[in-house]
Amino acid sequence: FLGSQLALYTGCQIYLVDYRLAPENPFPAAIEDARIAYQYLLTNGYNSNKIIVAGDSAGAGLAIAMCLSFLDNFPMLPKLDLPLPAAIVAISPWVNLDSSTYSDTWITNAETDYL
């Protein structure tokens, strides 16, 4: 639904990625799928400066992680020398996966945070 709404309101082409989900497919499967999809766009004539990577919740975290995987040394992923996309749109990203820094804001913000 989100992808069709983005296409409708922006007039842009949307490429939705059906990436592998955890726990059936452990880390880094989703990042691998996102990188393959991004490479596909680049090898099929799309310029990185015209690509915007977007996602919501875990998908937003995945968009950020994919881009970081191009910059940082991820020991479990082969190094790819790919240009970064023009932008990342991270809608309510799930990026704090460290339970030691758990916060109760999901309770205190329950009335206003609809995601």
Side-chain angles (χ1 to χ4, degrees):
F1 177 76
L2 180 59
S4 63
Q5 293 299 302
L6 283 171
L8 179 67
Y9 289 108
T10 64
C12 295
Q13 293 178 337
I14 304 293
Y15 182 67
L16 298 174
V17 179
D18 186 18
Y19 58 90
R20 291 174 286 169
L21 302 174
E24 296 82 13
N25 301 282
F27 178 84
I31 297 175
E32 291 170 341
D33 293 347
R35 288 165 41 129
I36 290 167
Y38 187 68
Q39 284 180 294
Y40 173 84
L41 293 174
L42 294 175
T43 58
N44 282 280
Y46 292 90
N47 293 319
S48 63
N49 63 352
K50 300 285 185 185
I51 297 173
I52 297 173
V53 179
D56 68 315
S57 192
L62 175 58
I64 294 168
M66 181 201 72
C67 292
L68 285 175
S69 79
F70 299 151
L71 300 174
D72 293 336
N73 181 21
F74 274 54
M76 68 292 296
L77 294 169
K79 178 73 173 150
L80 292 179
D81 187 24
L82 295 176
L84 291 172
I88 300 171
V89 176
I91 303 166
S92 191
W94 184 30
V95 293
N96 183 4
L97 307 180
D98 181 4
S99 62
S100 69
T101 58
Y102 175 76
S103 170
D104 66 352
T105 58
W106 67 277
I107 295 171
T108 59
N109 294 331
E111 291 185 25
T112 57
D113 186 356
Y114 298 104
L115 292 178

